[in-house]
């Protein structure tokens, strides 16, 4: 049977970008359907009725929701190349721990850098920088988070790189000055075509953020 693979996506979404990278790593062909979050398609509402969020991967008509669960699914179903999660259960648990940490901290502090001003924004910047420094320590001198090969944590984390320029511009700081080894890692990941072709342009993301926040005022 011919496999059918459809990705419901939204171009500036870090969560969507990580699914795009995983599908590219596995060399899978899929149909990308760009959603409008202001006017969600009937297909999105049918496939993710609870959260009504992208990304959703639809495999042979069946939906998989939540980006990290999609990554795990893709890794389990297509084992022929580019394993993403480590095979050792302890290492797998550690990878999940760090991805969870990064997601909770970067997303929430990043959002507050964009939305808040004054003291609240300063607090968010401090939290954001501390999180990146912690991740940089976890990376250590390794090429990728799991060591020599590009893996799950890299796929999950590198899409935030597309948003760094936006956070820096709103918060008036430089991620590279704070965390040079983390930025070097992100650039190393960008040398992979699977990553560079999946990430959205940082300047376009910035334009999107300006428009979004302008619309909220
Ligand atoms: C988050 C997805 C999400 O926030 C995941 O897949 O990992 N935990 C989920 N999706 C956003 C777009 S990206 O910011 C979304 O679909 N928002 C629509 C809405 O909130 O109505």
């Amino acid at each position: 049977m011919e496999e059918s693979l459809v990705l419901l996506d939204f171009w500036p979404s870090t969560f969507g970008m990580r699914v795009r990278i995983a599908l590219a790593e596995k060399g899978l062909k899929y149909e990308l359907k760009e959603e409008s979050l202001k006017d969600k398609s009937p297909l999105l509402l049918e496939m993710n009725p609870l959260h009504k969020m992208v990304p959703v991967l639809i495999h042979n008509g069946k939906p998989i929701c939540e980006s990290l669960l999609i990554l795990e699914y893709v890794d389990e179903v297509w084992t022929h190349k580019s394993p993403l999660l480590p095979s050792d259960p302890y290492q797998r648990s550690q990878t999940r721990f760090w991805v969870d940490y990064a997601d909770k901290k970067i997303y929430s502090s990043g959002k507050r850098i964009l939305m808040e001003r004054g003291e609240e924004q300063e607090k968010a910047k401090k939290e954001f920088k501390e999180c990146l420094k912690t991740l940089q320590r976890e990376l250590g001198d390794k090429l990728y988070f799991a060591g020599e090969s590009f893996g799950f944590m890299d796929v999950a984390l590198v899409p935030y790189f597309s948003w760094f320029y936006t956070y820096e511009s709103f918060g008036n700081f430089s991620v590279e000055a704070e965390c040079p080894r983390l930025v070097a890692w992100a650039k190393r990941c960008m040398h992979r075509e699977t990553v560079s072709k999946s990430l959205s342009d940082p300047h376009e993301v910035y334009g999107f953020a300006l428009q979004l926040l302008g619309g909220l005022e």
Side-chain angles (χ1 to χ4, degrees):
M1 189 185 85
E2 178 84 348
E3 294 248 39
S4 132
L5 213 45
V6 177
L7 176 63
L8 307 185
D9 200 357
F10 178 52
W11 69 269
S13 167
T14 47
F15 308 107
M17 288 181 229
R18 49 171 68 142
V19 177
R20 281 174 244 160
I21 299 172
L23 294 173
E25 281 290 325
K26 298 288 183 179
L28 299 169
K29 294 221 177 339
Y30 60 96
E31 184 186 349
L32 191 144
K33 290 195 175 176
E34 184 70 14
E35 282 289 329
S36 154
L37 299 188
K38 283 195 200 125
D39 183 19
K40 295 173 184 171
S41 73
L43 184 62
L44 175 60
L45 301 180
E46 183 193 337
M47 292 291 147
N48 191 354
L50 196 58
H51 298 307
K52 304 176 179 63
M53 283 184 172
V54 293
V56 179
L57 184 68
I58 310 171
H59 183 204
N60 295 334
K62 291 188 290 188
I64 306 104
C65 302
E66 288 295 320
S67 59
L68 295 176
L69 302 184
I70 299 174
L71 294 196
E72 295 212 17
Y73 180 82
V74 166
D75 203 28
E76 281 178 26
V77 174
W78 290 280
T79 51
H80 65 293
K81 67 184 280 203
S82 306
L84 299 177
L85 272 172
S87 53
D88 175 69
Y90 181 73
Q91 292 307 329
R92 267 207 305 278
S93 78
Q94 296 309 291
T95 304
R96 291 185 177 116
F97 172 86
W98 283 110
V99 169
D100 179 63
Y101 168 81
D103 250 4
K104 282 180 180 146
K105 293 275 180 190
I106 301 184
Y107 189 67
S108 75
S109 58
K111 197 166 166 184
R112 278 163 32 238
I113 292 176
L114 307 190
M115 312 277 289
E116 305 287 354
R117 296 292 170 267
E119 208 178 305
E120 283 307 309
Q121 191 190 45
E122 286 308 314
K123 269 198 239 164
K125 272 164 64 176
K126 188 163 176 274
E127 198 178 305
F128 184 85
K129 289 177 194 173
E130 271 168 16
C131 169
L132 294 191
K133 282 184 181 157
T134 305
L135 292 170
Q136 178 171 265
R137 264 200 309 280
E138 173 56 21
L139 176 68
D141 295 326
K142 299 187 295 274
L143 280 182
Y144 299 106
F145 276 88
E148 293 294 310
S149 51
F150 181 78
F152 195 91
M153 174 73 175
D154 308 298
V155 177
L157 192 63
V158 77
Y160 285 107
F161 186 59
S162 283
W163 277 81
F164 279 1
Y165 176 72
T166 301
Y167 299 137
E168 289 171 326
S169 305
F170 276 76
N172 193 24
F173 67 102
S174 155
V175 175
E176 191 155 23
E178 303 280 340
C179 295
R181 278 189 297 110
L182 195 69
V183 170
W185 157 84
K187 288 183 178 163
R188 197 173 307 127
C189 293
M190 286 292 276
H191 283 132
R192 298 175 80 81
E193 204 193 336
T194 56
V195 176
S196 59
K197 74 174 191 194
S198 302
L199 293 199
S200 299
D201 178 75
H203 291 92
E204 287 178 17
V205 168
Y206 178 62
F208 164 76
L210 284 179
Q211 231 179 9
L212 183 73
L213 293 166
L216 293 178
E217 274 164 15

